[in-house]
Each structure stands twice: as C-alpha cells, then as structure tokens.
Amino acid sequence: MNTVYRSWLCSSPFRGNLLQRTIQCDADICLFDLEDSVPQHLKSTAREELVKQMGLPHEKKYALRINALSTRNGLHDMMLLADNDFDVDIIQLPKVESAGEIRMACNLLNEMGRKAEIFAIIETLAGLKAIDEICAVGGQLRGLILGSADISSEIGIQVNNKGRMLGQIKYQIAVAALRNGLHAIDSPCFAIEDAASLHEELEIALDLGFTGKIAIHPSQVASINHAFSPSEAELREAIAVVRSVDDSTHGIAAVQGQMIGPPFAKYAQKVIQKAGLTTEHARQ
C-alpha cells in the first residue's frame, strides 16, 4: 500500500488525545503543532506534553510541526527528537525560505538516525521566491504545504481571501511540487462551521493538483478524504486502463470505446496511487 496524505488532523499537544480523535474521524495523519498553536511562554510545557502523547501505541502516521529552524524554539524541537525515541514519521518545517533549511533538517535527522519525511511550509514571499531551489533539494523532502494565513497577512489580504492573488500563490506551489514529484498540501479551511467554504477550497485545490489538505477540526476530515479519493468507478477505470496499455503491443489500446495511450496510463497510475494502491497491486 502507498502512503496517502489526504487529511492531516492538526492540534496542539494540549488539546486532549489527538491520536484518538484522528482515529475516530479517520484522518490519515495525526499532526501535532508546536508552532502557531502554542504561545511562546508554553513552548517548553508543550514539548513535555508531546512526549506523553507521542509515546502512545499508534496505527496512524505521526507528523510534527516544529518551530522554524532559524529560531531557538526550532532548535529545541529538534533536540527533543534527539533526546526521545518516540515515533515521528513526518516533520513539517514552517516558514521555509531557502534550500539550506531543508538540508540542515535532513542532516540533523540523519545524524539522529531518523528517517522522517520532510514537508516544507511555504508561507512567506521569500519562500515563494525560492520555491524551485527548495524543491530541488531532494533527500527526505516529500512535499510542500501552503501556509495561507501567514502569507496572506504579509501581502495584506484577509486570511480567508479566495481571490486571484492567493489563487496565483496556490498555483505556483502546486506546479513546483508536481514538477519535482512532491506532494502539495493545502492550508486548512479556517471557517470550521462553513461547509460551503470548505467545499469551495477543496474544489480549487483539486483543480490545481493538490494531493491533500490540513484539517483543524475532525468535522472537516470526511469531506477532505472524499475529495482526494477516487470513486470506485474511477478506480476501476484506472485499473482497466493500466492493464489494457500493459497488454497492448504498441502501448495503444481501447477502453470503453476510447483510444488510450501512455498519457492516459500515467494519469490512471496517479488515480491508483490516490487510492493508496501501487500500480503493481492494481495489475494483479
């Protein structure tokens, strides 16, 4: 099975049992936030609480949003990983503005013997400008995340703005990620009780090629999972396309009266991966 990154349920370590809530709403990833969700004077206490929660047995992937590596709290967060043996599958790096920050994180994780994946949060104009350099780092970098709140406030537009400026930023992040074989994860919908806003944001994210979205409330997870999952019919068609192209002598075949070739098969493979399956599994 492939790892899916559709839904990330995010909360500070202080908000009760995040793992249990992640399981109950069927979010893909349990995301602990040590940055924006924790006031400065509680950073140390949050780390202590984090150790308790991340030490629990779990079947979900654990992700940790640390503070920026350019800050003392960010370095303390990394030292927390060095001094404890709890599992962490993904590290989110906030306010990434250079490739050097990714390299530093990779070096630190490798020195600790940790294989955690890295997702870089692009939430400043400087980070947006350096996005191609950031994406080219490789290593443990697996994806980009849009930090819409910070970049909106820097530009001077409302956080919930869905206008052309934020749309252009989303487009740049999605294209950069996809061009480099990375995941593109959308910011949370901050209007928790507004299902229409969440639906609109999901439609935009899907149109741009995003592969997942952060949730700040369990009620958002079902819609996110549905949006980023192929339907049974789409999955059946994708499997049929892959098998037909494999069986074709010249790489061209017909499925349901439509001529298909390598580009169709490539898209079908992405649909299969969205379902958490490998192409090899689908060919069986």
Side-chain angles (χ1 to χ4, degrees):
M1 297 288 286
N2 278 336
T3 299
V4 288
Y5 303 89
R6 303 169 302 175
S7 52
W8 310 55
L9 184 60
C10 178
S11 178
S12 81
F14 296 123
R15 299 271 319 268
N17 192 335
L18 180 58
L19 174 60
Q20 183 179 359
R21 289 184 286 136
T22 302
I23 293 171
Q24 288 174 344
C25 69
D26 197 30
D28 295 323
I29 297 167
C30 179
L31 170 58
F32 292 95
D33 182 16
L34 291 176
E35 196 213 11
D36 286 345
S37 298
V38 179
Q40 287 294 324
H41 69 284
L42 291 178
K43 297 288 188 185
S44 179
T45 309
R47 293 186 196 99
E48 294 173 4
E49 183 61 32
L50 178 74
V51 172
K52 298 176 187 176
Q53 292 205 44
M54 293 194 75
L56 297 172
H58 62 98
E59 58 189 41
K60 293 287 185 177
K61 281 190 173 291
Y62 272 161
L64 178 61
R65 175 174 172 155
I66 67 171
N67 290 274
L69 284 180
S70 58
T71 68
R72 183 169 63 179
N73 275 313
L75 297 178
H76 282 314
D77 295 340
M78 292 300 287
M79 288 305 301
L80 184 75
L81 295 178
D83 295 339
N84 292 273
D85 61 357
F86 54 70
D87 291 336
V88 59
D89 302 289
I90 299 165
I91 300 293
Q92 288 190 2
L93 296 182
K95 298 177 177 61
V96 174
E97 296 184 340
S98 71
E101 295 169 67
I102 306 296
R103 294 191 187 97
M104 180 187 297
C106 287
N107 290 339
L108 289 171
L109 290 171
N110 287 330
E111 188 174 315
M112 298 175 200
R114 289 185 175 271
K115 303 299 182 183
E117 299 175 332
I118 294 174
F119 278 71
I121 307 176
I122 306 299
E123 49 190 335
T124 67
L125 293 175
L128 193 64
K129 183 178 180 180
I131 197 166
D132 289 324
E133 172 195 346
I134 291 167
C135 287
V137 169
Q140 289 160 257
L141 182 65
R142 291 292 179 270
L144 303 179
I145 299 173
L146 166 65
S148 64
D150 281 272
I151 203 165
S152 294
S153 61
E154 182 179 357
I155 295 168
I157 59 177
Q158 291 184 345
V159 172
N160 291 325
N161 184 288
K162 298 181 179 67
R164 285 173 290 182
M165 175 63 84
L166 189 59
Q168 176 65 18
I169 290 170
K170 286 191 175 190
Y171 171 79
Q172 290 183 59
I173 289 174
V175 169
L178 296 171
R179 184 167 56 235
N180 290 275
L182 302 173
H183 288 275
I185 308 300
D186 196 16
S187 281
C189 175
F190 297 103
I192 296 174
E193 298 181 358
D194 188 347
S197 287
L198 175 60
H199 180 73
E200 182 181 359
E201 290 186 20
L202 285 168
E203 281 194 332
I204 293 170
L206 286 167
D207 284 345
L208 292 175
F210 278 77
T211 53
K213 188 174 180 68
I214 294 172
I216 54 175
H217 193 276
S219 64
Q220 298 175 325
V221 171
S223 294
I224 293 172
N225 283 348
H226 177 75
F228 290 104
S229 300
S231 67
E232 290 186 9
E234 289 171 330
L235 182 57
R236 284 196 302 269
E237 182 178 347
I239 291 172
V241 167
V242 169
R243 288 175 176 172
S244 295
V245 172
D246 283 348
D247 293 340
S248 172
T249 305
H250 304 290
I252 302 294
V255 174
Q256 297 179 353
Q258 182 177 12
M259 188 182 75
I260 59 171
F264 293 86
K266 187 174 182 179
Y267 172 74
Q269 289 167 3
K270 290 184 181 295
V271 172
I272 292 167
Q273 290 167 4
K274 283 174 65 177
L277 302 175
T278 64
T279 305
E280 288 71 24
H281 177 87
R283 284 170 173 148
Q284 295 174 0

